Amino acid sequence: MDKRLRHLSALRCFESAARLQSYTQAALELNITQAAVSQQMRQLENALAVKLFVRKGRNMHLTEAGEVLLMSTQSAFKRIIGGLNQIQTQELAGSLTITSTQSFCSLWLMPNLSSFYESHDDIQIRVLGSNRFEDIRLNHIDIAIRLFY
């Protein structure tokens, strides 16, 4: 693998700083200090042996190399996010077993489950209303709702 990929966190920082054209705004977005953004940009520029930003007064501008890198990082991050979305939004199917007290099931759970069921009609829902504690493993219970005093 290319050794330049060691700088993925710096590339994330670069994308933010370049898009926002501000180290300060990038620091706020990434929840780090402005000095940390500045240091990561300096390290990235040194590692790549290319200048990415130029300052003109209080404004920051991308160099030609910075423009190319911004387009590349944004494209790459969009592809990664697309892949993450694809694997995390796989269709739900199967069954869901919920247990709680009889009063909670009848007064709150059942009336509120209808909207879930309408959205996920491929999921079989089983509700066990019982005032005793059910063995979660034995009854294959996914969710147990109990109130302890």
Side-chain angles (χ1 to χ4, degrees), residues 62-125:
L62 288 170
T63 63
E64 197 172 312
E67 292 280 353
V68 170
L69 187 58
L70 176 61
M71 288 178 21
S72 298
T73 55
Q74 285 179 332
S75 174
F77 289 153
K78 282 179 186 173
R79 288 193 67 192
I80 291 169
I81 290 168
L84 292 171
N85 289 341
Q86 191 174 8
I87 66 171
Q88 289 182 317
T89 57
Q90 293 177 352
E91 287 296 316
L92 297 175
S95 65
L96 175 66
T97 303
I98 304 168
T99 183
S100 189
T101 61
Q102 292 171 340
S103 60
F104 181 80
C105 287
S106 64
L107 297 174
W108 189 90
L109 185 60
M110 293 305 290
N112 288 288
L113 264 180
S114 61
S115 62
F116 176 84
Y117 182 71
E118 288 171 7
S119 301
H120 305 284
D121 61 353
D122 55 335
I123 298 176
Q124 181 182 22
I125 302 170

Short mmCIF file of all heavy atoms in Angstrom, two decimals, residues 62-125:
data_model
loop_
_atom_site.label_atom_id
_atom_site.label_comp_id
_atom_site.label_asym_id
_atom_site.label_seq_id
_atom_site.Cartn_x
_atom_site.Cartn_y
_atom_site.Cartn_z
N LEU A 62 -6.23 27.98 -1.99
CA LEU A 62 -5.58 26.75 -2.40
C LEU A 62 -4.63 27.02 -3.55
O LEU A 62 -4.93 27.82 -4.45
CB LEU A 62 -6.63 25.73 -2.85
CG LEU A 62 -7.46 25.10 -1.75
CD1 LEU A 62 -8.60 24.30 -2.36
CD2 LEU A 62 -6.61 24.22 -0.86
N THR A 63 -3.53 26.32 -3.53
CA THR A 63 -2.64 26.35 -4.69
C THR A 63 -3.25 25.43 -5.75
O THR A 63 -4.26 24.76 -5.51
CB THR A 63 -1.24 25.82 -4.30
OG1 THR A 63 -1.38 24.45 -3.91
CG2 THR A 63 -0.61 26.65 -3.20
N GLU A 64 -2.63 25.36 -6.90
CA GLU A 64 -3.10 24.46 -7.95
C GLU A 64 -3.07 23.01 -7.46
O GLU A 64 -4.01 22.24 -7.68
CB GLU A 64 -2.23 24.63 -9.20
CG GLU A 64 -2.85 24.07 -10.45
CD GLU A 64 -2.05 24.44 -11.69
OE1 GLU A 64 -1.69 25.62 -11.86
OE2 GLU A 64 -1.78 23.51 -12.47
N ALA A 65 -1.99 22.66 -6.77
CA ALA A 65 -1.89 21.31 -6.21
C ALA A 65 -2.97 21.08 -5.15
O ALA A 65 -3.55 19.99 -5.07
CB ALA A 65 -0.50 21.10 -5.60
N GLY A 66 -3.26 22.10 -4.36
CA GLY A 66 -4.30 22.01 -3.35
C GLY A 66 -5.68 21.77 -3.97
O GLY A 66 -6.49 21.00 -3.45
N GLU A 67 -5.95 22.44 -5.10
CA GLU A 67 -7.22 22.25 -5.82
C GLU A 67 -7.36 20.80 -6.29
O GLU A 67 -8.43 20.19 -6.16
CB GLU A 67 -7.31 23.20 -7.02
CG GLU A 67 -7.44 24.66 -6.67
CD GLU A 67 -8.85 25.08 -6.29
OE1 GLU A 67 -9.79 24.27 -6.41
OE2 GLU A 67 -8.99 26.22 -5.84
N VAL A 68 -6.29 20.26 -6.85
CA VAL A 68 -6.31 18.87 -7.33
C VAL A 68 -6.54 17.93 -6.17
O VAL A 68 -7.36 17.00 -6.25
CB VAL A 68 -4.99 18.53 -8.07
CG1 VAL A 68 -4.89 17.04 -8.36
CG2 VAL A 68 -4.88 19.35 -9.35
N LEU A 69 -5.84 18.14 -5.06
CA LEU A 69 -5.98 17.27 -3.91
C LEU A 69 -7.37 17.38 -3.29
O LEU A 69 -7.95 16.38 -2.87
CB LEU A 69 -4.90 17.57 -2.86
CG LEU A 69 -4.84 16.61 -1.68
CD1 LEU A 69 -4.61 15.16 -2.14
CD2 LEU A 69 -3.76 17.04 -0.70
N LEU A 70 -7.94 18.58 -3.27
CA LEU A 70 -9.29 18.75 -2.72
C LEU A 70 -10.30 17.96 -3.53
O LEU A 70 -11.13 17.23 -2.97
CB LEU A 70 -9.69 20.23 -2.69
CG LEU A 70 -11.13 20.50 -2.23
CD1 LEU A 70 -11.36 20.01 -0.81
CD2 LEU A 70 -11.45 22.00 -2.35
N MET A 71 -10.24 18.07 -4.85
CA MET A 71 -11.17 17.31 -5.69
C MET A 71 -11.01 15.81 -5.47
O MET A 71 -11.99 15.08 -5.38
CB MET A 71 -10.98 17.68 -7.17
CG MET A 71 -11.49 19.07 -7.48
SD MET A 71 -11.27 19.66 -9.19
CE MET A 71 -11.05 18.25 -10.17
N SER A 72 -9.78 15.36 -5.36
CA SER A 72 -9.51 13.93 -5.17
C SER A 72 -9.99 13.44 -3.82
O SER A 72 -10.61 12.37 -3.72
CB SER A 72 -8.01 13.65 -5.29
OG SER A 72 -7.56 13.98 -6.58
N THR A 73 -9.71 14.19 -2.76
CA THR A 73 -10.13 13.75 -1.42
C THR A 73 -11.65 13.77 -1.30
O THR A 73 -12.23 12.84 -0.73
CB THR A 73 -9.51 14.60 -0.30
OG1 THR A 73 -9.79 15.98 -0.52
CG2 THR A 73 -8.01 14.39 -0.21
N GLN A 74 -12.30 14.79 -1.84
CA GLN A 74 -13.76 14.83 -1.76
C GLN A 74 -14.38 13.66 -2.50
O GLN A 74 -15.32 13.03 -2.02
CB GLN A 74 -14.29 16.16 -2.29
CG GLN A 74 -14.06 17.30 -1.32
CD GLN A 74 -14.56 18.63 -1.85
OE1 GLN A 74 -14.61 18.87 -3.05
NE2 GLN A 74 -14.92 19.52 -0.93
N SER A 75 -13.85 13.35 -3.65
CA SER A 75 -14.35 12.21 -4.43
C SER A 75 -14.14 10.90 -3.67
O SER A 75 -15.04 10.06 -3.59
CB SER A 75 -13.65 12.17 -5.79
OG SER A 75 -14.02 11.03 -6.50
N ALA A 76 -12.96 10.73 -3.11
CA ALA A 76 -12.64 9.51 -2.37
C ALA A 76 -13.51 9.37 -1.13
O ALA A 76 -14.04 8.29 -0.85
CB ALA A 76 -11.16 9.49 -1.99
N PHE A 77 -13.69 10.45 -0.38
CA PHE A 77 -14.52 10.40 0.82
C PHE A 77 -15.98 10.11 0.47
O PHE A 77 -16.66 9.39 1.20
CB PHE A 77 -14.39 11.68 1.64
CG PHE A 77 -13.04 11.84 2.32
CD1 PHE A 77 -12.55 13.10 2.61
CD2 PHE A 77 -12.27 10.74 2.66
CE1 PHE A 77 -11.32 13.26 3.24
CE2 PHE A 77 -11.04 10.89 3.29
CZ PHE A 77 -10.56 12.15 3.57
N LYS A 78 -16.47 10.65 -0.63
CA LYS A 78 -17.84 10.35 -1.06
C LYS A 78 -18.00 8.87 -1.38
O LYS A 78 -19.01 8.25 -1.04
CB LYS A 78 -18.22 11.19 -2.29
CG LYS A 78 -18.58 12.60 -1.96
CD LYS A 78 -18.93 13.39 -3.19
CE LYS A 78 -19.15 14.85 -2.84
NZ LYS A 78 -19.33 15.70 -4.03
N ARG A 79 -17.00 8.27 -2.01
CA ARG A 79 -17.06 6.84 -2.32
C ARG A 79 -17.03 6.00 -1.04
O ARG A 79 -17.76 5.02 -0.92
CB ARG A 79 -15.90 6.44 -3.23
CG ARG A 79 -16.09 6.96 -4.65
CD ARG A 79 -15.16 6.33 -5.61
NE ARG A 79 -15.50 4.91 -5.74
CZ ARG A 79 -14.72 4.03 -6.33
NH1 ARG A 79 -13.58 4.40 -6.86
NH2 ARG A 79 -15.07 2.77 -6.42
N ILE A 80 -16.21 6.40 -0.09
CA ILE A 80 -16.13 5.67 1.19
C ILE A 80 -17.47 5.78 1.91
O ILE A 80 -18.00 4.78 2.41
CB ILE A 80 -14.98 6.20 2.07
CG1 ILE A 80 -13.63 5.84 1.44
CG2 ILE A 80 -15.09 5.65 3.49
CD1 ILE A 80 -12.44 6.52 2.07
N ILE A 81 -18.03 6.98 1.98
CA ILE A 81 -19.33 7.18 2.63
C ILE A 81 -20.40 6.37 1.92
O ILE A 81 -21.25 5.75 2.57
CB ILE A 81 -19.69 8.68 2.69
CG1 ILE A 81 -18.77 9.39 3.67
CG2 ILE A 81 -21.15 8.88 3.07
CD1 ILE A 81 -18.83 10.91 3.60
N GLY A 82 -20.37 6.33 0.60
CA GLY A 82 -21.33 5.52 -0.16
C GLY A 82 -21.22 4.05 0.21
O GLY A 82 -22.23 3.36 0.39
N GLY A 83 -20.01 3.54 0.33
CA GLY A 83 -19.81 2.15 0.72
C GLY A 83 -20.29 1.89 2.13
O GLY A 83 -20.93 0.87 2.40
N LEU A 84 -20.01 2.81 3.05
CA LEU A 84 -20.48 2.66 4.43
C LEU A 84 -22.00 2.67 4.48
O LEU A 84 -22.61 1.85 5.18
CB LEU A 84 -19.92 3.77 5.31
CG LEU A 84 -18.40 3.72 5.55
CD1 LEU A 84 -17.94 4.99 6.25
CD2 LEU A 84 -18.02 2.49 6.35
N ASN A 85 -22.62 3.57 3.74
CA ASN A 85 -24.08 3.63 3.70
C ASN A 85 -24.67 2.34 3.14
O ASN A 85 -25.69 1.85 3.62
CB ASN A 85 -24.57 4.82 2.89
CG ASN A 85 -24.33 6.14 3.59
OD1 ASN A 85 -24.12 6.19 4.79
ND2 ASN A 85 -24.34 7.20 2.82
N GLN A 86 -24.02 1.82 2.13
CA GLN A 86 -24.51 0.60 1.48
C GLN A 86 -24.50 -0.59 2.43
O GLN A 86 -25.46 -1.35 2.48
CB GLN A 86 -23.66 0.30 0.25
CG GLN A 86 -24.22 -0.76 -0.64
CD GLN A 86 -23.39 -0.90 -1.91
OE1 GLN A 86 -22.34 -0.30 -2.06
NE2 GLN A 86 -23.88 -1.69 -2.82
N ILE A 87 -23.45 -0.74 3.21
CA ILE A 87 -23.38 -1.89 4.11
C ILE A 87 -24.19 -1.68 5.38
O ILE A 87 -24.56 -2.65 6.04
CB ILE A 87 -21.93 -2.28 4.48
CG1 ILE A 87 -21.25 -1.18 5.30
CG2 ILE A 87 -21.15 -2.65 3.25
CD1 ILE A 87 -19.91 -1.59 5.88
N GLN A 88 -24.48 -0.43 5.73
CA GLN A 88 -25.22 -0.18 6.96
C GLN A 88 -26.72 -0.04 6.74
O GLN A 88 -27.46 0.06 7.69
CB GLN A 88 -24.70 1.07 7.66
CG GLN A 88 -23.32 0.84 8.26
CD GLN A 88 -22.81 2.04 9.00
OE1 GLN A 88 -22.93 3.16 8.54
NE2 GLN A 88 -22.23 1.80 10.15
N THR A 89 -27.17 -0.02 5.51
CA THR A 89 -28.60 0.12 5.26
C THR A 89 -29.16 -1.12 4.58
O THR A 89 -30.11 -1.04 3.82
CB THR A 89 -28.90 1.36 4.38
OG1 THR A 89 -28.17 1.25 3.16
CG2 THR A 89 -28.55 2.63 5.09
N GLN A 90 -28.56 -2.25 4.88
CA GLN A 90 -29.09 -3.49 4.33
C GLN A 90 -30.48 -3.72 4.90
O GLN A 90 -30.80 -3.33 6.02
CB GLN A 90 -28.18 -4.66 4.67
CG GLN A 90 -26.84 -4.55 3.98
CD GLN A 90 -25.92 -5.68 4.38
OE1 GLN A 90 -26.21 -6.46 5.26
NE2 GLN A 90 -24.78 -5.75 3.72
N GLU A 91 -31.31 -4.34 4.11
CA GLU A 91 -32.70 -4.58 4.49
C GLU A 91 -32.79 -5.37 5.79
O GLU A 91 -32.05 -6.32 6.00
CB GLU A 91 -33.42 -5.35 3.39
CG GLU A 91 -33.71 -4.52 2.16
CD GLU A 91 -34.66 -3.37 2.44
OE1 GLU A 91 -35.67 -3.57 3.13
OE2 GLU A 91 -34.37 -2.27 1.97
N LEU A 92 -33.70 -4.94 6.65
CA LEU A 92 -33.99 -5.66 7.87
C LEU A 92 -34.99 -6.76 7.55
O LEU A 92 -35.90 -6.56 6.77
CB LEU A 92 -34.58 -4.72 8.91
CG LEU A 92 -33.69 -3.58 9.39
CD1 LEU A 92 -34.49 -2.67 10.31
CD2 LEU A 92 -32.47 -4.12 10.11
N ALA A 93 -34.84 -7.87 8.14
CA ALA A 93 -35.80 -8.97 7.97
C ALA A 93 -35.67 -9.90 9.16
O ALA A 93 -34.68 -9.88 9.87
CB ALA A 93 -35.53 -9.72 6.68
N GLY A 94 -36.69 -10.68 9.38
CA GLY A 94 -36.63 -11.64 10.47
C GLY A 94 -37.70 -11.36 11.49
O GLY A 94 -38.81 -10.97 11.14
N SER A 95 -37.33 -11.56 12.74
CA SER A 95 -38.32 -11.38 13.79
C SER A 95 -37.74 -10.55 14.92
O SER A 95 -36.53 -10.46 15.10
CB SER A 95 -38.78 -12.73 14.32
OG SER A 95 -37.70 -13.39 14.95
N LEU A 96 -38.64 -9.95 15.69
CA LEU A 96 -38.28 -9.13 16.83
C LEU A 96 -39.18 -9.57 17.98
O LEU A 96 -40.40 -9.53 17.86
CB LEU A 96 -38.49 -7.65 16.52
CG LEU A 96 -38.28 -6.66 17.66
CD1 LEU A 96 -36.81 -6.64 18.08
CD2 LEU A 96 -38.72 -5.27 17.23
N THR A 97 -38.57 -9.99 19.07
CA THR A 97 -39.34 -10.41 20.24
C THR A 97 -39.09 -9.43 21.37
O THR A 97 -37.95 -9.16 21.73
CB THR A 97 -38.94 -11.83 20.68
OG1 THR A 97 -39.13 -12.72 19.58
CG2 THR A 97 -39.76 -12.30 21.86
N ILE A 98 -40.20 -8.90 21.90
CA ILE A 98 -40.15 -7.90 22.96
C ILE A 98 -40.94 -8.42 24.15
O ILE A 98 -42.04 -8.96 23.98
CB ILE A 98 -40.78 -6.57 22.49
CG1 ILE A 98 -40.10 -6.07 21.21
CG2 ILE A 98 -40.69 -5.51 23.59
CD1 ILE A 98 -40.84 -4.93 20.54
N THR A 99 -40.38 -8.25 25.34
CA THR A 99 -41.12 -8.60 26.55
C THR A 99 -41.15 -7.41 27.49
O THR A 99 -40.19 -6.64 27.56
CB THR A 99 -40.54 -9.83 27.27
OG1 THR A 99 -41.37 -10.13 28.39
CG2 THR A 99 -39.13 -9.60 27.74
N SER A 100 -42.28 -7.26 28.16
CA SER A 100 -42.45 -6.23 29.17
C SER A 100 -43.63 -6.61 30.04
O SER A 100 -44.24 -7.67 29.85
CB SER A 100 -42.67 -4.86 28.52
OG SER A 100 -42.62 -3.84 29.53
N THR A 101 -43.97 -5.74 30.96
CA THR A 101 -45.13 -6.01 31.80
C THR A 101 -46.40 -5.94 30.96
O THR A 101 -46.43 -5.28 29.92
CB THR A 101 -45.23 -4.99 32.95
OG1 THR A 101 -45.38 -3.70 32.39
CG2 THR A 101 -44.00 -5.05 33.84
N GLN A 102 -47.44 -6.60 31.43
CA GLN A 102 -48.70 -6.61 30.68
C GLN A 102 -49.27 -5.21 30.53
O GLN A 102 -49.74 -4.84 29.46
CB GLN A 102 -49.72 -7.52 31.39
CG GLN A 102 -49.33 -8.97 31.35
CD GLN A 102 -50.21 -9.84 32.22
OE1 GLN A 102 -50.87 -9.36 33.14
NE2 GLN A 102 -50.21 -11.14 31.93
N SER A 103 -49.18 -4.40 31.58
CA SER A 103 -49.73 -3.04 31.49
C SER A 103 -48.95 -2.18 30.50
O SER A 103 -49.54 -1.45 29.70
CB SER A 103 -49.76 -2.38 32.87
OG SER A 103 -48.46 -2.30 33.42
N PHE A 104 -47.63 -2.27 30.51
CA PHE A 104 -46.83 -1.49 29.57
C PHE A 104 -47.12 -1.91 28.13
O PHE A 104 -47.27 -1.08 27.24
CB PHE A 104 -45.33 -1.63 29.87
CG PHE A 104 -44.45 -0.82 28.96
CD1 PHE A 104 -44.27 0.53 29.16
CD2 PHE A 104 -43.81 -1.41 27.87
CE1 PHE A 104 -43.47 1.29 28.32
CE2 PHE A 104 -43.01 -0.68 27.02
CZ PHE A 104 -42.84 0.69 27.24
N CYS A 105 -47.22 -3.22 27.91
CA CYS A 105 -47.50 -3.73 26.56
C CYS A 105 -48.84 -3.22 26.05
O CYS A 105 -48.94 -2.76 24.91
CB CYS A 105 -47.50 -5.26 26.55
SG CYS A 105 -45.86 -5.98 26.69
N SER A 106 -49.87 -3.28 26.89
CA SER A 106 -51.20 -2.90 26.41
C SER A 106 -51.41 -1.40 26.36
O SER A 106 -52.08 -0.89 25.46
CB SER A 106 -52.29 -3.56 27.27
OG SER A 106 -52.21 -3.08 28.59
N LEU A 107 -50.83 -0.65 27.30
CA LEU A 107 -51.08 0.79 27.34
C LEU A 107 -50.14 1.62 26.48
O LEU A 107 -50.52 2.69 26.01
CB LEU A 107 -51.01 1.29 28.79
CG LEU A 107 -52.05 0.71 29.74
CD1 LEU A 107 -51.78 1.16 31.17
CD2 LEU A 107 -53.45 1.12 29.29
N TRP A 108 -48.92 1.17 26.26
CA TRP A 108 -47.99 1.99 25.49
C TRP A 108 -47.40 1.27 24.29
O TRP A 108 -47.41 1.78 23.18
CB TRP A 108 -46.85 2.50 26.39
CG TRP A 108 -46.02 3.52 25.66
CD1 TRP A 108 -46.21 4.86 25.64
CD2 TRP A 108 -44.87 3.26 24.84
NE1 TRP A 108 -45.27 5.47 24.84
CE2 TRP A 108 -44.42 4.51 24.33
CE3 TRP A 108 -44.18 2.12 24.46
CZ2 TRP A 108 -43.33 4.63 23.49
CZ3 TRP A 108 -43.07 2.25 23.62
CH2 TRP A 108 -42.67 3.49 23.15
N LEU A 109 -46.86 0.09 24.50
CA LEU A 109 -46.12 -0.60 23.45
C LEU A 109 -46.98 -0.92 22.23
O LEU A 109 -46.63 -0.55 21.10
CB LEU A 109 -45.46 -1.87 23.99
CG LEU A 109 -44.54 -2.61 23.01
CD1 LEU A 109 -43.39 -1.72 22.58
CD2 LEU A 109 -44.02 -3.88 23.65
N MET A 110 -48.07 -1.60 22.42
CA MET A 110 -48.91 -2.01 21.28
C MET A 110 -49.42 -0.80 20.48
O MET A 110 -49.34 -0.82 19.26
CB MET A 110 -50.06 -2.90 21.75
CG MET A 110 -49.59 -4.25 22.28
SD MET A 110 -48.57 -5.18 21.13
CE MET A 110 -49.79 -5.62 19.92
N PRO A 111 -49.93 0.26 21.13
CA PRO A 111 -50.37 1.41 20.35
C PRO A 111 -49.25 2.08 19.55
O PRO A 111 -49.47 2.62 18.48
CB PRO A 111 -50.93 2.38 21.40
CG PRO A 111 -51.29 1.53 22.57
CD PRO A 111 -50.30 0.41 22.56
N ASN A 112 -48.03 2.01 20.08
CA ASN A 112 -46.91 2.66 19.40
C ASN A 112 -46.17 1.76 18.42
O ASN A 112 -45.35 2.24 17.65
CB ASN A 112 -45.94 3.23 20.43
CG ASN A 112 -46.51 4.43 21.13
OD1 ASN A 112 -46.61 5.50 20.54
ND2 ASN A 112 -46.93 4.27 22.37
N LEU A 113 -46.41 0.48 18.44
CA LEU A 113 -45.74 -0.45 17.52
C LEU A 113 -46.34 -0.40 16.12
O LEU A 113 -45.69 -0.80 15.16
CB LEU A 113 -45.84 -1.88 18.05
CG LEU A 113 -44.66 -2.39 18.84
CD1 LEU A 113 -44.89 -3.81 19.28
CD2 LEU A 113 -43.37 -2.26 18.10
N SER A 114 -47.54 0.09 15.98
CA SER A 114 -48.20 0.05 14.67
C SER A 114 -47.42 0.83 13.61
O SER A 114 -47.27 0.37 12.48
CB SER A 114 -49.64 0.55 14.77
OG SER A 114 -49.65 1.89 15.21
N SER A 115 -46.89 2.00 13.97
CA SER A 115 -46.14 2.79 12.97
C SER A 115 -44.83 2.08 12.59
O SER A 115 -44.40 2.13 11.44
CB SER A 115 -45.86 4.20 13.48
OG SER A 115 -45.08 4.17 14.64
N PHE A 116 -44.19 1.41 13.56
CA PHE A 116 -42.99 0.64 13.25
C PHE A 116 -43.33 -0.49 12.29
O PHE A 116 -42.64 -0.72 11.31
CB PHE A 116 -42.36 0.07 14.53
CG PHE A 116 -41.18 -0.81 14.27
CD1 PHE A 116 -39.92 -0.28 14.08
CD2 PHE A 116 -41.32 -2.20 14.20
CE1 PHE A 116 -38.82 -1.09 13.81
CE2 PHE A 116 -40.24 -3.02 13.94
CZ PHE A 116 -38.99 -2.45 13.75
N TYR A 117 -44.43 -1.21 12.59
CA TYR A 117 -44.82 -2.34 11.76
C TYR A 117 -45.17 -1.90 10.35
O TYR A 117 -44.83 -2.58 9.38
CB TYR A 117 -46.00 -3.09 12.39
CG TYR A 117 -46.39 -4.30 11.58
CD1 TYR A 117 -45.57 -5.42 11.55
CD2 TYR A 117 -47.55 -4.31 10.81
CE1 TYR A 117 -45.90 -6.53 10.79
CE2 TYR A 117 -47.89 -5.42 10.05
CZ TYR A 117 -47.06 -6.52 10.04
OH TYR A 117 -47.38 -7.61 9.28
N GLU A 118 -45.80 -0.74 10.20
CA GLU A 118 -46.14 -0.23 8.87
C GLU A 118 -44.88 0.05 8.06
O GLU A 118 -44.85 -0.16 6.85
CB GLU A 118 -46.99 1.03 8.98
CG GLU A 118 -48.41 0.75 9.45
CD GLU A 118 -49.17 2.03 9.78
OE1 GLU A 118 -48.67 3.13 9.51
OE2 GLU A 118 -50.29 1.90 10.31
N SER A 119 -43.85 0.52 8.72
CA SER A 119 -42.58 0.82 8.03
C SER A 119 -41.75 -0.42 7.77
O SER A 119 -40.93 -0.44 6.86
CB SER A 119 -41.74 1.78 8.87
OG SER A 119 -42.43 2.97 9.10
N HIS A 120 -41.94 -1.45 8.59
CA HIS A 120 -41.11 -2.66 8.51
C HIS A 120 -42.00 -3.89 8.52
O HIS A 120 -41.86 -4.76 9.39
CB HIS A 120 -40.11 -2.70 9.67
CG HIS A 120 -39.25 -1.50 9.78
ND1 HIS A 120 -38.20 -1.26 8.95
CD2 HIS A 120 -39.29 -0.45 10.63
CE1 HIS A 120 -37.62 -0.12 9.27
NE2 HIS A 120 -38.27 0.40 10.28
N ASP A 121 -42.85 -4.01 7.54
CA ASP A 121 -43.80 -5.14 7.52
C ASP A 121 -43.13 -6.48 7.24
O ASP A 121 -43.76 -7.53 7.36
CB ASP A 121 -44.95 -4.88 6.56
CG ASP A 121 -44.48 -4.71 5.12
OD1 ASP A 121 -43.26 -4.66 4.89
OD2 ASP A 121 -45.35 -4.61 4.24
N ASP A 122 -41.85 -6.47 6.89
CA ASP A 122 -41.12 -7.71 6.66
C ASP A 122 -40.56 -8.30 7.96
O ASP A 122 -40.00 -9.37 7.96
CB ASP A 122 -40.00 -7.50 5.64
CG ASP A 122 -39.04 -6.39 6.04
OD1 ASP A 122 -39.45 -5.49 6.79
OD2 ASP A 122 -37.88 -6.41 5.60
N ILE A 123 -40.73 -7.58 9.06
CA ILE A 123 -40.24 -8.04 10.36
C ILE A 123 -41.43 -8.57 11.16
O ILE A 123 -42.42 -7.87 11.38
CB ILE A 123 -39.54 -6.92 11.14
CG1 ILE A 123 -38.31 -6.44 10.36
CG2 ILE A 123 -39.14 -7.40 12.53
CD1 ILE A 123 -37.61 -5.27 11.00
N GLN A 124 -41.31 -9.80 11.59
CA GLN A 124 -42.35 -10.40 12.41
C GLN A 124 -42.12 -9.97 13.86
O GLN A 124 -41.05 -10.16 14.41
CB GLN A 124 -42.28 -11.92 12.30
CG GLN A 124 -43.33 -12.64 13.08
CD GLN A 124 -43.18 -14.15 12.95
OE1 GLN A 124 -42.11 -14.65 12.65
NE2 GLN A 124 -44.26 -14.86 13.20
N ILE A 125 -43.15 -9.35 14.45
CA ILE A 125 -43.03 -8.85 15.82
C ILE A 125 -43.81 -9.74 16.77
O ILE A 125 -44.97 -10.05 16.53
CB ILE A 125 -43.56 -7.40 15.92
CG1 ILE A 125 -42.79 -6.49 14.96
CG2 ILE A 125 -43.44 -6.88 17.35
CD1 ILE A 125 -43.39 -5.12 14.81
#
